[in-house]
Amino acid sequence: AAKREGRNIIKVFEPVMLYSRQLRSQMATELRDAISSDQLVLHYQPVVELATNRILGVEVLVRWQHPLRGLIPPDTFIPLAEEIGVIHDLDRWVMSASLRQLAAWRKDLPLDDDFQLRVNLSAVELKQLDLVDHIRGLLRELDVPAHSLVVEITETAIVTRGEVEMYSLLSLKQLGVGIEIDDFGTGYSSISYLRELPVSMVKVDRSLLVELNTRTGQLDFVAAILQLIRAAGLEAVFEGIETREQADQLRAMGCASGQGYYFSRPMPADEATALLATTRHLRVDEGAEGPERA
Ligand code: C2E
Ligand code: MG
Ligand code: MG
Ligand code: MG
């Protein structure tokens, strides 16, 4: 049986691997040009204050508008960008382009003072000694206060606590930029590191919400994670909120903020601009207390 299985695996996977190796090397070449050819586009997803459904800010999510393959999601090309060393240029482009967008919004729209732009940073970026200077320069040039920016970093990127990574985190904190651990609960999480790192927020991975209402004990489990984050003196954000029920449950637990398809999908800049120009609260018709009681 094992032999048959082995043969099957080879039969099934060999052509796929070959194809994907070819595709990968072609995509690598194309990805190197994508930035300079203006093929990267930014989408924005609102983050909401759960007590009032007020928009607290947006997360910046990059996509690759490929001339032939269409819109490619980041999970497909970010790992490739990291592997071939393009991630540095990519993350810098995202930081610069999204801060420019924020500066334009701040000029043109009546944004709340506490509105925050949340930008994902690869682990590789934290190792760059000039990362903080680059961000400081952009903030100054665009006249954006540091507290309007939050960087999101996956926990795997920082649990190793390398010297340069710690230097970057401490300098960002000193500058006033918010630091958030992303995808909490999926990587190698030693619980104690939550209290030792210079971070202010923790975003709980959406996989923890998936079974919120189907798996026995999941609600208690999620509530306990929220307590843990609070006990570490940090603010919790939940991603992947897809239903009103989930939003209500997290709100009842006292969770401060969240994001997900229930509130809004990530959207292109023009749609985000139109939304922010007209809307302060999402889904007030159905959930939360509404703006009038906020
Ligand atoms: P992430 O930072 O954890 O972003 C959240 C992901 O969940 C996004 O996927 C978002 O579209 C998706 N999402 C949001 N709400 C829901 C929901 O209710 N249900 C479900 N099923 N999904 C939801 P996306 O845009 O495909 O991004 C995937 C990952 O790619 C991000 O995960 C982040 O790690 C990475 N990424 C995106 N943009 C950048 C970037 O500019 N630089 C770097 N280094 N990484 C990025
Ligand atoms: Mg993120
Ligand atoms: Mg996340
Ligand atoms: Mg995630």
Side-chain angles (χ1 to χ4, degrees), residues 45 59 61-63 74-75 78 87 91 94 120-122 152 182-183 206 239-242 260-261 266:
Q45 184 180 36
E59 178 174 8
L61 296 158
V62 70
R63 279 96 180 82
D75 284 334
I78 293 280
I87 191 68
D91 274 352
V94 171
N120 293 285
L121 273 190
S122 155
E152 302 194 355
D182 205 350
D183 298 345
R206 68 167 180 271
E239 65 174 17
I241 301 174
E242 294 189 352
Y261 295 167

Side-chain angles (χ1 to χ4, degrees), residues 168-199:
S168 295
L169 291 179
L170 287 165
S171 311
L172 282 172
K173 187 183 178 178
Q174 203 172 29
L175 183 60
V177 170
I179 303 168
E180 181 195 79
I181 296 176
D182 205 350
D183 298 345
F184 180 73
T186 55
Y188 154 80
S189 341
S190 134
I191 290 169
S192 55
Y193 86 85
L194 278 185
R195 305 183 70 183
E196 285 153 25
L197 290 170
V199 301

Side-chain angles (χ1 to χ4, degrees), residues 160 233 259 276:
T160 49
Q259 73 190 95
L276 294 173

Side-chain angles (χ1 to χ4, degrees), residues 85-104:
V86 169
I87 191 68
H88 176 63
D89 290 340
L90 190 151
D91 274 352
R92 297 246 162 153
W93 180 84
V94 171
M95 182 64 75
S96 164
S98 62
L99 278 174
R100 267 167 231 285
Q101 178 64 74
L102 175 64

Side-chain angles (χ1 to χ4, degrees), residues 11-12 14 25 28 71 103 141 148 152 156-157 181 183 201 229 260 284:
K11 225 166 102 189
V12 171
E14 211 172 23
S25 87
L71 201 64
E141 178 199 333
S148 299
E152 302 194 355
T156 36
I181 296 176
D183 298 345
M201 279 165 275
I229 293 168
V284 277

Side-chain angles (χ1 to χ4, degrees), residues 87-247:
I87 191 68
H88 176 63
D89 290 340
L90 190 151
D91 274 352
R92 297 246 162 153
W93 180 84
V94 171
M95 182 64 75
S96 164
S98 62
L99 278 174
R100 267 167 231 285
Q101 178 64 74
L102 175 64
W105 283 336
R106 283 169 51 84
K107 187 164 72 66
D108 301 338
L109 306 176
L111 287 187
D112 291 337
D113 287 338
D114 57 356
F115 185 94
Q116 286 182 317
L117 185 82
R118 316 172 78 100
V119 181
N120 293 285
L121 273 190
S122 155
V124 181
E125 265 311 275
L126 269 194
K127 290 205 184 78
Q128 304 294 324
L129 276 166
D130 64 341
L131 170 72
V132 182
D133 280 342
H134 179 247
I135 291 176
R136 187 187 291 113
L138 281 171
L139 293 173
R140 204 171 283 160
E141 178 199 333
L142 298 166
D143 197 24
V144 169
H147 67 78
S148 299
L149 176 67
V150 177
V151 294
E152 302 194 355
I153 302 156
T154 56
E155 58 180 352
T156 36
I158 40 185
V159 284
T160 49
R161 265 175 278 175
E163 249 177 77
V164 183
E165 285 91 330
M166 290 309 287
Y167 165 82
S168 295
L169 291 179
L170 287 165
S171 311
L172 282 172
K173 187 183 178 178
Q174 203 172 29
L175 183 60
V177 170
I179 303 168
E180 181 195 79
I181 296 176
D182 205 350
D183 298 345
F184 180 73
T186 55
Y188 154 80
S189 341
S190 134
I191 290 169
S192 55
Y193 86 85
L194 278 185
R195 305 183 70 183
E196 285 153 25
L197 290 170
V199 301
S200 47
M201 279 165 275
V202 176
K203 195 185 277 182
V204 180
D205 194 73
R206 68 167 180 271
S207 58
L208 282 141
L209 286 192
V210 171
E211 296 177 307
L212 193 63
N213 295 297
T214 51
R215 184 171 177 182
T216 311
Q218 189 69 6
L219 205 58
D220 287 342
F221 189 66
V222 168
I225 290 170
L226 181 62
Q227 290 307 317
L228 176 79
I229 293 168
R230 285 237 199 90
L234 305 173
E235 198 187 301
V237 186
F238 276 78
E239 65 174 17
I241 301 174
E242 294 189 352
T243 65
R244 178 182 171 178
E245 191 179 20
Q246 290 173 341

